[in-house]
Amino acid sequence: MSVFGVRRVAAAGGLALVLGLLTACGGSSDAASPSSSTSSSSSASSVGQAQTLTVTEVGFDIEPESSDLPAGDYTITVKNEGDATHDLVVERDGKDIAKSDTLGPGDSATFTVTLQPGQYVFYCSIGNHRAMGMETDVTVS
Ligand SMILES: [Cu+2]
């Protein structure tokens, strides 16, 4: 039990490092693992890391990389590739559970959310965009 606890602590440090690398280099996963880390590095990669999901907003469409996701912690990157201001809200059962910053054309932002199994809607809360069709169903299982 205590050995596991130590591993969890080491894994948390590794996760913070990985997230930093992802932010810095845009999701490439082949960054060399630091050779200075201890022998626990091989177990760090097997402990639940945040998954990444890219959501592109273009025109008045919201296009997630995938709309069928395994449950877990997510780091969501929203890219506004349209000509209008947008944001991204994650809604579950009519309740907003996470939201990006407001994004101007060409901007992107990252936020984190924990997705438990269920039915979600990703939508834009700017103006009447949702009514114009800026929403998409996402299933988490
Ligand atoms: Cu919008």
Side-chain angles (χ1 to χ4, degrees), residues 57 60 85-87 124-126 129 134:
E57 298 184 313
F60 286 90
T85 296
H86 297 302
D87 64 9
C124 175
S125 71
I126 304 292
H129 293 187
M134 262 195 110

Side-chain angles (χ1 to χ4, degrees), residues 49-53 66-74 113-118 120 138-141:
Q49 299 181 357
Q51 302 177 74
T52 58
L53 178 74
S66 169
S67 56
D68 205 344
L69 304 170
D73 294 332
Y74 280 84
V113 62
T114 299
L115 299 179
Q116 290 165 346
Y120 294 76
V138 174
T139 301
V140 178
S141 52

